[in-house]
Amino acid sequence: MELYLARHGHVDYDHSIDLFAASLTELGQTQSLQLAEMCKRLDIRFLISSTMIRAEETANIILAEIPDMTRWDLEEFQAVNVDDLMLDPFGHPVMAQWTEDQVITGQKRAWIRVTAVMPRIEIFMDNYGFERVLIVAHEDVIQMMMLAWHGKDWRSLDECPPLDFGAVTRIVLEDGQAFIGPVNVAPGEL
């Protein structure tokens, strides 16, 4: 079973009113088309996307190129956000404005939702015979997934390398083990 974890296409956060509803730039659209070409080349027939706008737009571009692809949108793959603060009345919409305690709470809650859905993906793939999946998500979500496969948790997020917009990481799940390929690779290099 192969999982390709892709960070959504480029977003210009500096010119977005709402960071959580930021749209793809022209570069982000091009990166999404490159992900679609990778899916065609690798015969990836299953697409999972976060439900945040930037990931949805990336997935929409891929699906426009491969309309018969199976798609599954998951809220669990949203980036760490104000909803993870469990109704904290002082939770600012911008994570950069959070206190250290809020960041810890947000990362813990996101960790729980991300790792809880990972086995469901494996079960779904097994049941429906999908050999490969492309997961379009966010930097922190992809990092959490890799940490889980390394036997670590959210407390190790600072150890993770940064991920470029549109970059991909290949994971092979075999006999209960995860083999993590190159991290942060351009879609054309896989």
Side-chain angles (χ1 to χ4, degrees):
M1 178 178 306
E2 297 176 20
L3 293 86
Y4 294 83
L5 311 179
R7 185 173 181 195
H8 56 79
H10 181 264
V11 175
D12 184 0
Y13 294 112
D14 294 334
H15 295 96
S16 182
I17 295 169
D18 180 353
L19 298 181
F20 293 106
S23 290
L24 297 180
T25 62
E26 193 171 316
L27 173 60
Q29 293 171 13
T30 300
Q31 291 168 329
S32 301
L33 287 170
Q34 292 169 346
L35 288 169
E37 289 304 314
M38 180 196 77
C39 288
K40 289 177 188 176
R41 191 175 65 257
L42 298 174
D43 193 31
I44 298 173
R45 311 300 308 153
F46 182 30
L47 171 65
I48 298 175
S49 175
S50 156
T51 56
M52 294 181 114
I53 302 271
R54 53 197 179 266
E56 289 275 337
E57 288 178 349
T58 301
N60 290 344
I61 290 169
I62 294 167
L63 206 58
E65 295 294 313
I66 313 169
D68 61 338
M69 194 176 218
T70 299
R71 180 172 173 176
W72 195 11
D73 293 345
L74 295 175
E75 288 182 6
E76 290 91 341
F77 281 159
Q78 289 187 2
V80 175
N81 62 73
V82 72
D83 291 341
D84 292 313
L85 296 182
M86 302 184 322
L87 303 175
D88 180 342
F90 301 105
H92 193 280
V94 179
M95 191 174 173
Q97 302 295 321
W98 291 3
T99 66
E100 186 176 334
D101 286 344
Q102 287 173 324
V103 170
I104 289 169
T105 298
Q107 289 176 338
K108 279 183 192 178
R109 297 298 302 169
W111 172 263
I112 291 167
R113 65 179 159 79
V114 168
T115 56
V117 78
M118 290 168 61
R120 284 180 37 211
I121 294 168
E122 290 181 52
I123 292 167
F124 187 88
M125 289 178 72
D126 273 344
N127 284 340
Y128 291 95
F130 289 111
E131 295 177 25
R132 292 170 207 85
V133 62
L134 174 67
I135 299 174
V136 177
H138 312 276
E139 182 176 39
D140 52 4
V141 170
I142 293 168
Q143 291 168 333
M144 286 181 190
M145 294 175 78
M146 289 191 295
L147 287 171
W149 284 312
H150 277 298
K152 296 181 179 182
D153 67 22
W154 63 273
R155 292 172 290 194
S156 299
L157 278 169
D158 291 343
E159 299 171 14
C160 295
L163 301 175
D164 297 331
F165 292 107
V168 182
T169 300
R170 179 176 177 253
I171 311 292
V172 175
L173 301 180
E174 190 175 277
D175 299 325
Q177 293 187 336
F179 302 94
I180 300 176
V183 175
N184 210 24
V185 176
E189 297 176 14
L190 283 174

